[in-house]
Amino acid sequence: MTAGDSLDLLSIPGDAGSRVSGTAIEDALAYFEPDAVCLPGSFDAELYGGVRSSTDVPVIAPRAGTGHVSRYRRTAGGDVVDVSATTATETTHELVAVRDSAVLVDPAAVLADNHGFAPETPIVLVVPDLAVEHDPTTLSARLPNLDALATIRGDLPGPLSVLAGKQPASYHHLWDTGDGSSLLVHGMGAGGDGQLTLLSMTTDGAVAGETVSADSFGLRAVHGVGAATEATLRRNGITTRDDLAGTPVATLSALPGVGRTAAERMHAHADVIETGEPLRQTNESLPTLRNGRPPLCLDIETDGLSPTVVWQFGSYDPETGEYTAFVEDETPTEPGRNVRQFCDYLFGTHAERTILTWNGDGFDFPVIERFLRQHASEYVDAWDELWKRDLYTWGVRDGNALLPGRTNKLDDVARALGYEDAGTGITGAQTAAAYQRFMRAPDDPAAEPDWERHRRYCEDDCRALWHVWQAIEDAERRDPSDNATDTGGQQTGLTDF
């Protein structure tokens, strides 16, 4: 991650920790570059020692030792330090970890060291065993110790965010505390799916989580390396991606169960990950651009995967460096208005441009077409004639490029290619959830999203898309004649990603 004002906490749940080797932990730490690491599960001495020996940042294991509360501070310089070991007064965040939720019964115990919290500084509270309780009979949910958490929040001088150790990373909810305010609770990645989660907390108290499978680090990050292949490689002294990239393809292909094609695939992808540079696998040109002009980068925000409204259309024009957004921030029950405004702009000013998306074939384009047919049918024919291109389809699905991201999500790929995001502190799922709250109570000021933040989030995706395009455009092409070469990093023959 890039350095900034956010507090970046890497959560390694117990089920994920049991699936990663020491080299994979080192790889994950280098990939995420967290300010601190938290192990919210039951104390595991092997995992704890392995992480501590692999990083200089604090490793927080709330259930270790006999202490009930530990407190850390992120200084203005970006370091996270134990409060008892610093005199720094300029801070961006305070981080408090309790041993378990039983400590919350006595809020005074959590706040016993409540000296030095700077006014308005966000406080992050880690509760490793906190989980939402669901009643299947009444279809209701309750958050244990909500009253105690509300009391703690009321006694703090800054905004409080609670991290729940037993909730999945996708969990993000504002709990009504009964006093006209709400408490933000975010999951830390529990769920038995073996994922590592980077939790980013902004200076105004927002929280966003990014999850990556534990199998996406170390040797397992390389395409074609599953559990059996990893074991084979390790038996033959290949324990890191550097080892893999430095092993001739002829040697790899001779290993049991590997073969020539798999060896070439693994060799090339290991090199792409290590260099952070994409590789053009074919001689196919990038999607054709209309009139030779840069594409218009497009992204949309909806109220979910089966949308009832496209509430934000965002477009970035690399030719002028301008971002334009159309946001339905007044009447969510009238989805046609935003669609028509976007179409007026698009066809009135950019009808002769190529429209570029990431996974537009899988989501954006069919969603837009459906809403045009429902609310702006006069533009359907023009939409059909528009030049629309999906960079994800061209690069990933069609196998024209190898990319260094650990997943194929746009933000992951862009960051692996050196893109520095805007640090909005929200995710796509959170933008949808925020708009759903607005739709339920459009006249309630408490339900109104931070429109500017959501505009920046969409803009960030558009600019990231252009960054990926440029990186692929400048990428090295792999000559098929290099197939015959058995040494170095010039193997090819890759047909899928």
Side-chain angles (χ1 to χ4, degrees):
M1 297 297 292
T2 57
D5 290 334
S6 66
L7 167 63
D8 294 327
L9 181 68
L10 177 60
S11 173
I12 307 180
D15 65 293
S18 64
R19 294 172 58 170
V20 292
S21 64
T23 54
I25 287 176
E26 293 177 2
D27 187 27
L29 291 167
Y31 175 76
F32 286 115
E33 296 183 355
D35 297 314
V37 179
C38 188
L39 312 178
S42 300
F43 181 69
D44 181 332
E46 185 176 344
L47 176 61
Y48 181 66
V51 177
R52 280 178 57 88
S53 64
S54 300
T55 183
D56 293 329
V57 304
V59 180
I60 304 167
R63 300 186 183 184
T66 59
H68 294 289
V69 180
S70 53
R71 182 176 155 198
Y72 299 82
R73 172 176 293 157
R74 186 180 188 273
T75 68
D79 297 323
V80 173
V81 293
D82 190 297
V83 168
S84 63
T86 181
T87 58
T89 57
E90 294 187 15
T91 66
T92 65
H93 295 79
E94 299 283 351
L95 176 62
V96 180
V98 299
R99 182 179 179 86
D100 52 46
S101 57
V103 179
L104 303 175
V105 175
D106 181 12
V110 180
L111 301 172
D113 191 25
N114 190 18
H115 297 289
F117 283 121
E120 299 183 3
T121 298
I123 298 98
V124 180
L125 176 62
V126 175
V127 187
D129 63 337
L130 184 61
V132 177
E133 296 179 353
H134 298 274
D135 186 332
T137 302
T138 61
L139 299 179
S140 61
R142 64 178 292 269
L143 182 70
N145 302 113
L146 178 58
D147 290 343
L149 291 168
T151 298
I152 292 170
R153 185 207 52 200
D155 288 339
L156 292 171
L160 175 67
S161 302
V162 178
L163 302 184
K166 287 196 171 181
Q167 287 296 124
S170 59
Y171 183 81
H172 182 95
H173 188 70
L174 292 171
W175 282 86
D176 183 357
T177 57
D179 59 0
S181 60
S182 56
L183 177 71
L184 173 60
V185 180
H186 197 291
M188 297 189 72
D193 50 4
Q195 293 197 334
L196 308 184
T197 299
L198 187 74
L199 297 158
S200 296
M201 283 71 70
T202 63
T203 53
D204 57 2
V207 181
E210 174 195 354
T211 60
V212 179
S213 170
D215 293 337
S216 295
F217 299 101
L219 284 171
R220 296 288 291 276
V222 178
H223 288 289
V225 179
T229 302
E230 180 183 25
T232 297
L233 295 174
R234 289 185 177 279
R235 284 196 298 270
N236 287 272
I238 302 171
T239 61
T240 68
R241 289 196 303 271
D242 280 339
D243 295 339
L244 182 58
T247 301
V249 166
T251 302
L252 291 174
S253 61
L255 297 178
V258 177
R260 179 76 183 196
T261 299
E264 292 171 351
R265 180 187 300 115
M266 292 187 299
H267 200 283
H269 194 221
D271 186 59
V272 166
I273 293 176
E274 291 309 296
T275 62
E277 298 178 358
L279 180 67
R280 302 276 288 272
Q281 299 185 85
T282 70
N283 288 321
E284 288 292 325
S285 300
L286 278 163
T288 305
L289 298 180
R290 195 169 190 175
N291 298 322
R293 299 172 66 187
L296 193 70
C297 300
L298 175 67
D299 188 43
I300 63 174
E301 303 299 336
T302 69
D303 60 328
L305 295 179
S306 299
T308 63
V309 60
V310 181
W311 62 268
Q312 181 168 193
F313 292 88
S315 66
Y316 171 68
D317 185 353
E319 204 167 57
T320 63
E322 295 180 353
Y323 175 74
T324 304
F326 296 88
V327 179
E328 179 48 79
D329 55 5
E330 295 181 1
T331 313
T333 56
E334 297 180 9
R337 183 171 62 176
N338 205 38
V339 173
R340 290 189 294 272
Q341 288 180 336
F342 168 71
C343 287
D344 291 346
Y345 160 78
L346 177 65
F347 294 105
T349 60
H350 295 295
E352 299 302 316
R353 300 283 290 279
T354 298
I355 307 302
L356 186 70
T357 62
W358 186 264
N359 196 33
D361 291 342
F363 187 74
D364 303 63
F365 292 151
V367 167
I368 293 174
E369 181 174 351
R370 175 164 68 85
F371 276 81
L372 287 183
R373 293 187 181 281
Q374 291 176 344
H375 305 290
S377 58
E378 65 271 23
Y379 281 117
V380 169
D381 289 343
W383 174 258
D384 290 340
E385 296 174 3
L386 199 67
W387 283 31
K388 302 179 287 291
R389 302 292 184 265
D390 182 346
L391 189 57
Y392 172 79
T393 294
W394 180 90
V396 178
R397 289 177 176 163
D398 293 345
N400 289 308
L402 273 177
L403 304 173
R406 301 310 172 83
T407 74
N408 288 323
K409 294 185 295 185
L410 175 59
D411 56 351
D412 197 12
V413 172
R415 189 178 66 211
L417 293 171
Y419 179 74
E420 296 187 12
D421 63 40
T424 58
I426 52 177
T427 64
Q430 289 174 20
T431 63
Y435 202 78
Q436 289 170 12
R437 288 194 295 272
F438 175 64
M439 294 175 71
R440 290 192 293 268
D443 298 323
D444 182 0
E448 187 169 5
D450 182 341
W451 298 116
E452 181 55 33
R453 169 173 279 156
H454 289 284
R455 285 188 179 93
R456 294 202 313 272
Y457 172 79
C458 191
E459 177 179 358
D460 212 30
D461 274 357
C462 291
R463 290 181 180 272
L465 175 59
W466 177 238
H467 183 91
V468 174
W469 171 282
Q470 290 182 301
I472 295 176
E473 188 175 41
D474 295 338
E476 172 191 355
R477 291 178 184 269
R478 181 144 294 176
D479 190 331
S481 65
D482 286 333
N483 269 343
T485 303
D486 286 338
T487 59
Q490 301 300 316
Q491 309 308 319
T492 186
L494 310 181
T495 58
D496 60 88
F497 179 43

